[in-house]
């Protein structure tokens, strides 16, 4: 009975020494089962699947990073859009105010011009009347 106990103890020690060198489920993000030991078609397929999973994980990490970057850029673009939109609204308001003021001044200027022309016409008629009086 001592021989099987010794072989069990040595096998347990061998398993512990090899398992301590292997990464644990806590140390890797995704725990993967150990591959089958004989190099069979299944083990080749298993290795191919592990390789595919690793590539997909890298692609996922890149995609998540890119998505995060794009979200950040999108937030900046939205902020710029809102700033430009509010600047456009302010500019349109200033344009409207300036146009209204210009039209009011043009109207006032036209009224002044017409009143000046009527005054000039009145003065001319008065001057012509006095000129006729003096000539007669």
């Amino acid at each position: 009975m001592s021989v099987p106990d010794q072989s069990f103890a040595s096998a347990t020690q061998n398993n512990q020494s090899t398992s301590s060198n292997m990464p644990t489920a806590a140390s890797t993000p995704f725990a993967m089962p150990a591959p089958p030991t004989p190099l069979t078609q299944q083990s080749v397929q298993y290795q191919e699947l592990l390789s595919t999973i690793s590539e997909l994980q890298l692609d996922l990490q890149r995609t998540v990073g890119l998505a995060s970057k794009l979200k950040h850029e999108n937030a900046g673009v939205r902020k710029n859009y809102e700033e430009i939109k509010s600047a456009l609204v302010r500019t349109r308001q200033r344009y409207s105010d300036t146009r209204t003021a210009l039209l009011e001044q043009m109207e006032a200027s036209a009224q002044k011009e017409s009143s000046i022309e009527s005054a000039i016409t009145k003065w001319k008629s008065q001057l012509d009347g006095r000129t006729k009086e003096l000539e007669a």
Side-chain angles (χ1 to χ4, degrees), residues 51-122:
S51 175
T52 303
I53 288 171
S54 297
E55 290 173 13
L56 289 173
Q57 284 177 339
L58 288 175
D59 287 346
L60 179 62
Q61 288 174 352
R62 286 186 201 122
T63 303
V64 168
L66 180 61
S68 174
K69 178 183 172 187
L70 291 175
K71 281 182 183 179
H72 179 69
E73 288 177 2
N74 193 21
V77 168
R78 283 180 192 260
K79 180 182 175 189
N80 289 342
Y81 170 77
E82 291 301 325
E83 290 173 359
I84 290 171
K85 185 178 175 182
S86 66
L88 177 63
V89 167
R90 287 190 308 271
T91 302
R92 283 183 176 168
Q93 184 61 44
R94 283 188 301 172
Y95 171 78
S96 177
D97 293 345
T98 303
R99 182 172 171 84
T100 302
L102 174 66
L103 292 175
E104 288 172 356
Q105 285 197 357
M106 286 176 63
E107 187 177 322
S109 176
Q111 286 177 353
K112 284 180 184 178
E113 188 175 320
S114 69
S115 70
I116 289 173
E117 284 179 9
S118 67
I120 289 175
T121 305
K122 179 181 170 186

Side-chain angles (χ1 to χ4, degrees), residues 29-57:
F30 299 100
M32 294 181 213
T37 52
L39 292 175
T40 63
Q41 181 65 22
Q42 286 182 340
S43 66
V44 170
Q45 289 175 345
Y46 181 81
Q47 290 300 323
E48 288 174 356
L49 287 174
L50 284 179
S51 175
T52 303
I53 288 171
S54 297
E55 290 173 13
L56 289 173
Q57 284 177 339

